[in-house]
Amino acid sequence: MGVKSANLTIRVMTYNIHHAEGMDGKINLDRIANLINSYRANFVGLQEVDRHANRSNNLDMVLELARLTGMYWAFGKNLELNNGDYGNAILSSYPILDQKNRNYKMVKSSERRGLLQVLAKFENKEIVFMNTHIDHCIDDTESITNAEEIKESINSHGNRPVIVCGDFNKTPESPMIKEMELDLTNVSNFDDQPFLTYPSSNPETQIDHIFTSKDWKIHSVEIPQSLASDHLPLVAEISLNE
C-alpha cells in the first residue's frame, strides 16, 4: 500500500509507545520503527515520547525514530521528566512547513497535556496533522473543553484538510468522542467491528482514535498486533476527495 499519488491516498497511524517500553519490560525503539515501516505509514502521531530521560536510557526517541524511519519529525514538550523532556511527537513522510504545540487549559488534570500540530506539504496541497494525549484522570466536562480547544485549533488553520489523532483516554461512546464526531469523521466508524487498542496484551477497549475533516475518504482501518508498547497502534488508509 502506501502513497498512491494518483488519488492522494495516505496511511495514518496513531500509537502510544509507552516510552518504547514493551510488555516484556524492555525499551526498544527498533521494534517501534519496524512496525511503522512495515505499515508504510505516511503520518504517525506518537504519544508518551521521552527525550533524554533517565528512565529510557537518555535516548532522544523522536530523533532516533526519525532516523530509523527516514521521516521528518516534530516534537511537542508537555513537561520535564527524569532530567529530560516528555510529550507527543509526529513523524511525516512529507516536508513539515510549520509546527506548534498548544497546552490545554488545566482544571483538574494531573499533568500538563498538549496538542502538537504540523503543517505539511502533501503533493500540491498543505494539510494539517494534529496529535494529542488527553489526561485519563479528567472528567467529561474538562475533556469536552479539550475537544473545543482542538476545534479552535482546527479553525485557526482555515479550510486546509485536517487529521487529528491520539490517545484520548476515552472510549467511543464517551461524551468527548461524541463531541469530536459533531464536526469530524471518526475513522473507526468505517466498519461495524470494534477497534480495540488497549491493553496490547489482551485488548478490551478503544481509547486511541483518528479523526479527519470531511474532505477525507476512509478506505480501511486496522489494528497492527504488537507487544512493543502497552497500547496497540490504530492505522487508517485515507484519501482526499477530489
Short mmCIF file of all heavy atoms in Angstrom, two decimals, residues 154-212:
data_model
loop_
_atom_site.label_atom_id
_atom_site.label_comp_id
_atom_site.label_asym_id
_atom_site.label_seq_id
_atom_site.Cartn_x
_atom_site.Cartn_y
_atom_site.Cartn_z
N ILE A 154 -8.21 23.69 14.95
CA ILE A 154 -8.56 23.32 13.57
C ILE A 154 -9.01 24.55 12.81
O ILE A 154 -8.56 24.80 11.68
CB ILE A 154 -9.65 22.23 13.57
CG1 ILE A 154 -9.08 20.90 14.09
CG2 ILE A 154 -10.23 22.05 12.16
CD1 ILE A 154 -10.13 19.83 14.30
N ASN A 155 -9.89 25.33 13.40
CA ASN A 155 -10.41 26.53 12.73
C ASN A 155 -9.32 27.54 12.43
O ASN A 155 -9.41 28.29 11.45
CB ASN A 155 -11.50 27.17 13.60
CG ASN A 155 -12.76 26.31 13.67
OD1 ASN A 155 -13.02 25.49 12.79
ND2 ASN A 155 -13.54 26.48 14.73
N SER A 156 -8.27 27.55 13.25
CA SER A 156 -7.18 28.51 13.02
C SER A 156 -6.38 28.20 11.76
O SER A 156 -5.62 29.04 11.28
CB SER A 156 -6.23 28.53 14.23
OG SER A 156 -5.44 27.36 14.29
N HIS A 157 -6.56 26.99 11.23
CA HIS A 157 -5.84 26.60 10.01
C HIS A 157 -6.67 26.81 8.74
O HIS A 157 -6.30 26.30 7.67
CB HIS A 157 -5.41 25.13 10.12
CG HIS A 157 -4.36 24.88 11.16
ND1 HIS A 157 -3.03 25.18 10.97
CD2 HIS A 157 -4.44 24.37 12.42
CE1 HIS A 157 -2.34 24.85 12.06
NE2 HIS A 157 -3.17 24.37 12.95
N GLY A 158 -7.77 27.52 8.86
CA GLY A 158 -8.57 27.81 7.68
C GLY A 158 -9.27 26.58 7.15
O GLY A 158 -9.75 25.74 7.91
N ASN A 159 -9.30 26.46 5.82
CA ASN A 159 -10.01 25.34 5.19
C ASN A 159 -9.09 24.20 4.77
O ASN A 159 -9.47 23.37 3.94
CB ASN A 159 -10.79 25.85 3.97
CG ASN A 159 -11.91 26.80 4.35
OD1 ASN A 159 -12.61 26.58 5.34
ND2 ASN A 159 -12.07 27.87 3.59
N ARG A 160 -7.89 24.15 5.32
CA ARG A 160 -6.98 23.07 4.96
C ARG A 160 -7.51 21.72 5.45
O ARG A 160 -8.13 21.65 6.52
CB ARG A 160 -5.60 23.31 5.57
CG ARG A 160 -4.86 24.54 5.01
CD ARG A 160 -3.49 24.64 5.66
NE ARG A 160 -2.70 25.75 5.16
CZ ARG A 160 -2.66 26.96 5.71
NH1 ARG A 160 -3.38 27.20 6.80
NH2 ARG A 160 -1.92 27.91 5.20
N PRO A 161 -7.26 20.66 4.72
CA PRO A 161 -7.64 19.32 5.20
C PRO A 161 -6.93 19.01 6.51
O PRO A 161 -5.75 19.33 6.69
CB PRO A 161 -7.16 18.39 4.08
CG PRO A 161 -7.08 19.25 2.86
CD PRO A 161 -6.68 20.61 3.36
N VAL A 162 -7.65 18.38 7.44
CA VAL A 162 -7.14 18.15 8.79
C VAL A 162 -7.27 16.68 9.19
O VAL A 162 -8.25 16.01 8.85
CB VAL A 162 -7.90 19.02 9.82
CG1 VAL A 162 -7.47 18.68 11.25
CG2 VAL A 162 -7.67 20.50 9.54
N ILE A 163 -6.25 16.19 9.89
CA ILE A 163 -6.29 14.88 10.55
C ILE A 163 -5.92 15.10 12.01
O ILE A 163 -4.95 15.79 12.30
CB ILE A 163 -5.28 13.90 9.91
CG1 ILE A 163 -5.53 13.76 8.41
CG2 ILE A 163 -5.34 12.54 10.60
CD1 ILE A 163 -4.35 13.16 7.65
N VAL A 164 -6.69 14.54 12.93
CA VAL A 164 -6.42 14.63 14.36
C VAL A 164 -6.34 13.21 14.92
O VAL A 164 -7.26 12.41 14.69
CB VAL A 164 -7.53 15.40 15.12
CG1 VAL A 164 -7.13 15.58 16.58
CG2 VAL A 164 -7.80 16.75 14.47
N CYS A 165 -5.28 12.92 15.63
CA CYS A 165 -5.16 11.57 16.19
C CYS A 165 -4.59 11.64 17.60
O CYS A 165 -4.12 12.69 18.04
CB CYS A 165 -4.28 10.69 15.31
SG CYS A 165 -2.52 11.02 15.45
N GLY A 166 -4.64 10.51 18.28
CA GLY A 166 -4.01 10.48 19.60
C GLY A 166 -4.62 9.46 20.55
O GLY A 166 -5.55 8.72 20.21
N ASP A 167 -4.06 9.46 21.74
CA ASP A 167 -4.59 8.69 22.86
C ASP A 167 -5.53 9.63 23.61
O ASP A 167 -5.08 10.51 24.33
CB ASP A 167 -3.44 8.20 23.76
CG ASP A 167 -3.94 7.49 25.00
OD1 ASP A 167 -5.17 7.39 25.19
OD2 ASP A 167 -3.09 7.05 25.80
N PHE A 168 -6.82 9.43 23.41
CA PHE A 168 -7.81 10.31 24.01
C PHE A 168 -8.23 9.83 25.40
O PHE A 168 -8.94 10.54 26.10
CB PHE A 168 -9.04 10.42 23.10
CG PHE A 168 -8.81 11.29 21.89
CD1 PHE A 168 -8.11 10.80 20.80
CD2 PHE A 168 -9.27 12.59 21.84
CE1 PHE A 168 -7.87 11.59 19.68
CE2 PHE A 168 -9.04 13.40 20.73
CZ PHE A 168 -8.34 12.89 19.65
N ASN A 169 -7.81 8.63 25.78
CA ASN A 169 -8.20 8.06 27.06
C ASN A 169 -9.71 8.08 27.26
O ASN A 169 -10.20 8.18 28.39
CB ASN A 169 -7.49 8.77 28.21
CG ASN A 169 -6.18 8.10 28.57
OD1 ASN A 169 -6.13 6.90 28.81
ND2 ASN A 169 -5.10 8.88 28.61
N LYS A 170 -10.44 8.00 26.15
CA LYS A 170 -11.90 7.98 26.19
C LYS A 170 -12.40 6.92 25.21
O LYS A 170 -11.88 6.78 24.11
CB LYS A 170 -12.48 9.35 25.79
CG LYS A 170 -12.12 10.49 26.75
CD LYS A 170 -12.77 10.31 28.12
CE LYS A 170 -12.39 11.42 29.08
NZ LYS A 170 -12.96 11.22 30.42
N THR A 171 -13.41 6.19 25.63
CA THR A 171 -13.98 5.14 24.80
C THR A 171 -14.94 5.73 23.75
O THR A 171 -15.38 6.88 23.89
CB THR A 171 -14.72 4.13 25.68
OG1 THR A 171 -15.70 4.81 26.45
CG2 THR A 171 -13.74 3.41 26.60
N PRO A 172 -15.28 4.96 22.72
CA PRO A 172 -16.08 5.51 21.61
C PRO A 172 -17.41 6.13 22.03
O PRO A 172 -17.88 7.07 21.37
CB PRO A 172 -16.31 4.28 20.72
CG PRO A 172 -15.11 3.42 20.96
CD PRO A 172 -14.80 3.59 22.43
N GLU A 173 -18.02 5.63 23.10
CA GLU A 173 -19.34 6.14 23.50
C GLU A 173 -19.25 7.35 24.44
O GLU A 173 -20.27 7.90 24.86
CB GLU A 173 -20.16 5.04 24.17
CG GLU A 173 -19.65 4.57 25.51
CD GLU A 173 -18.50 3.58 25.44
OE1 GLU A 173 -18.08 3.22 24.31
OE2 GLU A 173 -18.01 3.16 26.51
N SER A 174 -18.05 7.79 24.78
CA SER A 174 -17.88 8.87 25.75
C SER A 174 -18.31 10.22 25.17
O SER A 174 -18.29 10.43 23.95
CB SER A 174 -16.42 8.96 26.19
OG SER A 174 -15.62 9.44 25.12
N PRO A 175 -18.72 11.16 26.03
CA PRO A 175 -19.15 12.48 25.56
C PRO A 175 -18.08 13.21 24.74
O PRO A 175 -18.41 13.90 23.77
CB PRO A 175 -19.47 13.22 26.86
CG PRO A 175 -19.88 12.15 27.82
CD PRO A 175 -18.99 10.99 27.48
N MET A 176 -16.79 13.07 25.11
CA MET A 176 -15.76 13.77 24.35
C MET A 176 -15.67 13.26 22.91
O MET A 176 -15.57 14.05 21.97
CB MET A 176 -14.38 13.62 25.01
CG MET A 176 -13.31 14.36 24.24
SD MET A 176 -11.62 14.00 24.73
CE MET A 176 -10.76 15.30 23.83
N ILE A 177 -15.70 11.94 22.74
CA ILE A 177 -15.61 11.38 21.40
C ILE A 177 -16.84 11.78 20.58
O ILE A 177 -16.74 12.12 19.40
CB ILE A 177 -15.45 9.84 21.45
CG1 ILE A 177 -14.16 9.48 22.20
CG2 ILE A 177 -15.45 9.25 20.05
CD1 ILE A 177 -12.89 10.10 21.64
N LYS A 178 -18.00 11.79 21.21
CA LYS A 178 -19.22 12.22 20.52
C LYS A 178 -19.13 13.70 20.13
O LYS A 178 -19.61 14.11 19.07
CB LYS A 178 -20.45 11.97 21.40
CG LYS A 178 -20.73 10.50 21.68
CD LYS A 178 -20.89 9.71 20.39
CE LYS A 178 -21.17 8.24 20.65
NZ LYS A 178 -21.18 7.44 19.38
N GLU A 179 -18.49 14.49 20.99
CA GLU A 179 -18.28 15.91 20.69
C GLU A 179 -17.37 16.07 19.47
O GLU A 179 -17.63 16.89 18.58
CB GLU A 179 -17.68 16.63 21.89
CG GLU A 179 -17.37 18.11 21.67
CD GLU A 179 -18.60 18.98 21.54
OE1 GLU A 179 -19.68 18.58 22.03
OE2 GLU A 179 -18.50 20.06 20.92
N MET A 180 -16.30 15.28 19.39
CA MET A 180 -15.40 15.33 18.24
C MET A 180 -16.13 14.95 16.96
O MET A 180 -15.91 15.52 15.88
CB MET A 180 -14.21 14.39 18.47
CG MET A 180 -13.29 14.77 19.61
SD MET A 180 -12.27 16.23 19.27
CE MET A 180 -11.18 15.59 18.00
N GLU A 181 -17.05 13.99 17.06
CA GLU A 181 -17.75 13.48 15.88
C GLU A 181 -18.78 14.47 15.33
O GLU A 181 -19.26 14.29 14.21
CB GLU A 181 -18.45 12.16 16.22
CG GLU A 181 -17.49 11.00 16.44
CD GLU A 181 -18.17 9.73 16.89
OE1 GLU A 181 -19.36 9.79 17.28
OE2 GLU A 181 -17.51 8.68 16.87
N LEU A 182 -19.10 15.51 16.08
CA LEU A 182 -20.05 16.51 15.58
C LEU A 182 -19.50 17.23 14.35
O LEU A 182 -20.26 17.60 13.45
CB LEU A 182 -20.38 17.53 16.68
CG LEU A 182 -21.18 17.02 17.87
CD1 LEU A 182 -21.36 18.13 18.90
CD2 LEU A 182 -22.54 16.47 17.42
N ASP A 183 -18.18 17.43 14.31
CA ASP A 183 -17.57 18.18 13.21
C ASP A 183 -16.57 17.38 12.40
O ASP A 183 -16.13 17.84 11.34
CB ASP A 183 -16.87 19.43 13.77
CG ASP A 183 -17.83 20.34 14.51
OD1 ASP A 183 -18.75 20.86 13.86
OD2 ASP A 183 -17.66 20.52 15.73
N LEU A 184 -16.19 16.22 12.90
CA LEU A 184 -15.14 15.43 12.25
C LEU A 184 -15.61 14.00 12.01
O LEU A 184 -16.55 13.53 12.64
CB LEU A 184 -13.89 15.40 13.14
CG LEU A 184 -13.26 16.75 13.48
CD1 LEU A 184 -12.29 16.61 14.64
CD2 LEU A 184 -12.55 17.34 12.26
N THR A 185 -14.93 13.33 11.08
CA THR A 185 -15.21 11.92 10.81
C THR A 185 -14.33 11.05 11.69
O THR A 185 -13.10 11.21 11.71
CB THR A 185 -14.93 11.59 9.33
OG1 THR A 185 -15.77 12.39 8.50
CG2 THR A 185 -15.19 10.11 9.05
N ASN A 186 -14.94 10.14 12.42
CA ASN A 186 -14.20 9.17 13.22
C ASN A 186 -13.92 7.96 12.34
O ASN A 186 -14.86 7.27 11.91
CB ASN A 186 -15.03 8.77 14.44
CG ASN A 186 -14.26 7.86 15.40
OD1 ASN A 186 -13.24 7.28 15.06
ND2 ASN A 186 -14.77 7.74 16.62
N VAL A 187 -12.65 7.70 12.05
CA VAL A 187 -12.34 6.62 11.10
C VAL A 187 -12.82 5.27 11.60
O VAL A 187 -13.08 4.36 10.81
CB VAL A 187 -10.82 6.55 10.77
CG1 VAL A 187 -10.31 7.89 10.24
CG2 VAL A 187 -10.00 6.08 11.96
N SER A 188 -12.96 5.12 12.91
CA SER A 188 -13.38 3.84 13.48
C SER A 188 -14.83 3.51 13.16
O SER A 188 -15.26 2.36 13.33
CB SER A 188 -13.16 3.83 14.99
OG SER A 188 -11.79 3.96 15.30
N ASN A 189 -15.59 4.49 12.69
CA ASN A 189 -16.97 4.24 12.28
C ASN A 189 -17.04 3.69 10.86
O ASN A 189 -18.13 3.45 10.33
CB ASN A 189 -17.79 5.53 12.38
CG ASN A 189 -17.96 5.98 13.83
OD1 ASN A 189 -17.89 5.17 14.75
ND2 ASN A 189 -18.17 7.27 14.04
N PHE A 190 -15.87 3.49 10.25
CA PHE A 190 -15.79 2.94 8.90
C PHE A 190 -16.38 1.53 8.84
O PHE A 190 -16.96 1.12 7.85
CB PHE A 190 -14.31 2.91 8.46
CG PHE A 190 -14.04 2.12 7.21
CD1 PHE A 190 -14.28 2.67 5.97
CD2 PHE A 190 -13.54 0.83 7.29
CE1 PHE A 190 -14.02 1.94 4.82
CE2 PHE A 190 -13.28 0.09 6.15
CZ PHE A 190 -13.52 0.65 4.90
N ASP A 191 -16.25 0.79 9.91
CA ASP A 191 -16.68 -0.60 9.96
C ASP A 191 -17.45 -0.84 11.25
O ASP A 191 -17.26 -0.14 12.23
CB ASP A 191 -15.44 -1.52 9.91
CG ASP A 191 -15.77 -2.91 9.40
OD1 ASP A 191 -16.93 -3.33 9.57
OD2 ASP A 191 -14.87 -3.58 8.85
N ASP A 192 -18.30 -1.85 11.24
CA ASP A 192 -19.09 -2.16 12.43
C ASP A 192 -18.28 -2.85 13.51
O ASP A 192 -18.71 -2.92 14.66
CB ASP A 192 -20.29 -3.04 12.05
CG ASP A 192 -21.34 -2.30 11.25
OD1 ASP A 192 -21.40 -1.05 11.38
OD2 ASP A 192 -22.07 -2.94 10.48
N GLN A 193 -17.13 -3.38 13.15
CA GLN A 193 -16.33 -4.11 14.14
C GLN A 193 -15.64 -3.14 15.10
O GLN A 193 -15.33 -2.01 14.74
CB GLN A 193 -15.29 -4.98 13.44
CG GLN A 193 -14.21 -4.18 12.72
CD GLN A 193 -13.09 -5.06 12.20
OE1 GLN A 193 -12.59 -5.91 12.92
NE2 GLN A 193 -12.69 -4.84 10.96
N PRO A 194 -15.38 -3.57 16.34
CA PRO A 194 -14.65 -2.71 17.28
C PRO A 194 -13.16 -2.69 16.95
O PRO A 194 -12.61 -3.68 16.44
CB PRO A 194 -14.90 -3.38 18.63
CG PRO A 194 -15.14 -4.82 18.29
CD PRO A 194 -15.83 -4.83 16.96
N PHE A 195 -12.51 -1.58 17.23
CA PHE A 195 -11.06 -1.45 17.03
C PHE A 195 -10.42 -1.27 18.41
O PHE A 195 -10.22 -0.14 18.87
CB PHE A 195 -10.76 -0.28 16.09
CG PHE A 195 -11.24 -0.51 14.69
CD1 PHE A 195 -12.44 0.05 14.26
CD2 PHE A 195 -10.52 -1.30 13.82
CE1 PHE A 195 -12.90 -0.17 12.97
CE2 PHE A 195 -10.97 -1.53 12.52
CZ PHE A 195 -12.16 -0.97 12.10
N LEU A 196 -10.13 -2.37 19.05
CA LEU A 196 -9.66 -2.36 20.43
C LEU A 196 -8.15 -2.12 20.47
O LEU A 196 -7.39 -2.82 19.81
CB LEU A 196 -10.00 -3.69 21.12
CG LEU A 196 -11.48 -4.10 21.04
CD1 LEU A 196 -11.70 -5.44 21.73
CD2 LEU A 196 -12.38 -3.03 21.65
N THR A 197 -7.72 -1.12 21.25
CA THR A 197 -6.31 -0.72 21.26
C THR A 197 -5.61 -0.88 22.61
O THR A 197 -4.40 -0.69 22.69
CB THR A 197 -6.18 0.75 20.82
OG1 THR A 197 -6.90 1.58 21.75
CG2 THR A 197 -6.70 0.97 19.41
N TYR A 198 -6.37 -1.21 23.66
CA TYR A 198 -5.75 -1.23 24.99
C TYR A 198 -6.44 -2.25 25.89
O TYR A 198 -7.67 -2.36 25.86
CB TYR A 198 -5.85 0.16 25.62
CG TYR A 198 -5.14 0.27 26.95
CD1 TYR A 198 -3.77 0.50 27.00
CD2 TYR A 198 -5.85 0.11 28.14
CE1 TYR A 198 -3.12 0.59 28.23
CE2 TYR A 198 -5.20 0.20 29.35
CZ TYR A 198 -3.84 0.44 29.40
OH TYR A 198 -3.20 0.51 30.61
N PRO A 199 -5.62 -2.99 26.70
CA PRO A 199 -4.15 -3.08 26.67
C PRO A 199 -3.68 -4.01 25.55
O PRO A 199 -4.43 -4.87 25.09
CB PRO A 199 -3.81 -3.67 28.04
CG PRO A 199 -5.02 -4.50 28.38
CD PRO A 199 -6.20 -3.79 27.80
N SER A 200 -2.45 -3.87 25.13
CA SER A 200 -1.98 -4.59 23.95
C SER A 200 -1.96 -6.11 24.15
O SER A 200 -2.14 -6.87 23.21
CB SER A 200 -0.58 -4.11 23.55
OG SER A 200 0.35 -4.33 24.59
N SER A 201 -1.72 -6.55 25.38
CA SER A 201 -1.62 -7.98 25.65
C SER A 201 -2.98 -8.69 25.56
O SER A 201 -3.05 -9.86 25.22
CB SER A 201 -1.02 -8.22 27.04
OG SER A 201 -1.78 -7.52 28.02
N ASN A 202 -4.05 -7.94 25.84
CA ASN A 202 -5.41 -8.50 25.77
C ASN A 202 -6.39 -7.35 25.61
O ASN A 202 -7.06 -6.96 26.56
CB ASN A 202 -5.72 -9.31 27.04
CG ASN A 202 -7.08 -9.98 26.98
OD1 ASN A 202 -7.58 -10.30 25.90
ND2 ASN A 202 -7.69 -10.18 28.14
N PRO A 203 -6.45 -6.80 24.40
CA PRO A 203 -7.22 -5.56 24.21
C PRO A 203 -8.71 -5.70 24.54
O PRO A 203 -9.37 -6.63 24.09
CB PRO A 203 -7.01 -5.24 22.72
CG PRO A 203 -6.50 -6.50 22.10
CD PRO A 203 -5.79 -7.24 23.16
N GLU A 204 -9.18 -4.76 25.35
CA GLU A 204 -10.56 -4.79 25.83
C GLU A 204 -11.35 -3.55 25.44
O GLU A 204 -12.58 -3.56 25.50
CB GLU A 204 -10.57 -4.94 27.36
CG GLU A 204 -9.91 -6.21 27.86
CD GLU A 204 -9.80 -6.24 29.37
OE1 GLU A 204 -10.03 -5.17 30.00
OE2 GLU A 204 -9.48 -7.31 29.93
N THR A 205 -10.64 -2.46 25.08
CA THR A 205 -11.33 -1.20 24.81
C THR A 205 -10.56 -0.39 23.80
O THR A 205 -9.40 -0.69 23.49
CB THR A 205 -11.49 -0.39 26.12
OG1 THR A 205 -12.36 0.72 25.89
CG2 THR A 205 -10.15 0.12 26.62
N GLN A 206 -11.20 0.64 23.28
CA GLN A 206 -10.52 1.58 22.38
C GLN A 206 -10.46 2.95 23.02
O GLN A 206 -11.48 3.55 23.33
CB GLN A 206 -11.25 1.70 21.03
CG GLN A 206 -10.56 2.68 20.09
CD GLN A 206 -11.26 2.86 18.76
OE1 GLN A 206 -12.36 2.35 18.54
NE2 GLN A 206 -10.64 3.59 17.85
N ILE A 207 -9.23 3.43 23.21
CA ILE A 207 -9.04 4.80 23.71
C ILE A 207 -8.15 5.61 22.77
O ILE A 207 -7.90 6.79 23.00
CB ILE A 207 -8.45 4.80 25.14
CG1 ILE A 207 -7.16 3.99 25.22
CG2 ILE A 207 -9.48 4.28 26.14
CD1 ILE A 207 -6.49 4.02 26.59
N ASP A 208 -7.68 4.98 21.69
CA ASP A 208 -6.85 5.65 20.68
C ASP A 208 -7.71 5.86 19.44
O ASP A 208 -8.38 4.93 18.96
CB ASP A 208 -5.63 4.79 20.36
CG ASP A 208 -4.84 4.44 21.61
OD1 ASP A 208 -3.96 5.25 21.99
OD2 ASP A 208 -5.11 3.38 22.22
N HIS A 209 -7.67 7.09 18.91
CA HIS A 209 -8.62 7.44 17.85
C HIS A 209 -7.94 8.28 16.75
O HIS A 209 -6.95 8.97 17.00
CB HIS A 209 -9.79 8.24 18.42
CG HIS A 209 -10.53 7.54 19.52
ND1 HIS A 209 -11.56 6.66 19.29
CD2 HIS A 209 -10.38 7.59 20.87
CE1 HIS A 209 -12.02 6.20 20.45
NE2 HIS A 209 -11.32 6.76 21.43
N ILE A 210 -8.54 8.23 15.56
CA ILE A 210 -8.15 9.10 14.44
C ILE A 210 -9.42 9.76 13.91
O ILE A 210 -10.42 9.08 13.64
CB ILE A 210 -7.47 8.30 13.31
CG1 ILE A 210 -6.19 7.62 13.80
CG2 ILE A 210 -7.16 9.22 12.12
CD1 ILE A 210 -5.58 6.66 12.78
N PHE A 211 -9.36 11.08 13.76
CA PHE A 211 -10.47 11.85 13.19
C PHE A 211 -9.97 12.62 11.97
O PHE A 211 -8.80 13.00 11.91
CB PHE A 211 -11.02 12.85 14.21
CG PHE A 211 -11.55 12.24 15.47
CD1 PHE A 211 -10.71 12.05 16.57
CD2 PHE A 211 -12.87 11.83 15.57
CE1 PHE A 211 -11.19 11.48 17.74
CE2 PHE A 211 -13.35 11.25 16.74
CZ PHE A 211 -12.51 11.08 17.83
N THR A 212 -10.85 12.85 11.02
CA THR A 212 -10.49 13.65 9.84
C THR A 212 -11.56 14.70 9.57
O THR A 212 -12.73 14.53 9.97
CB THR A 212 -10.34 12.78 8.58
OG1 THR A 212 -11.64 12.33 8.16
CG2 THR A 212 -9.44 11.58 8.82
#
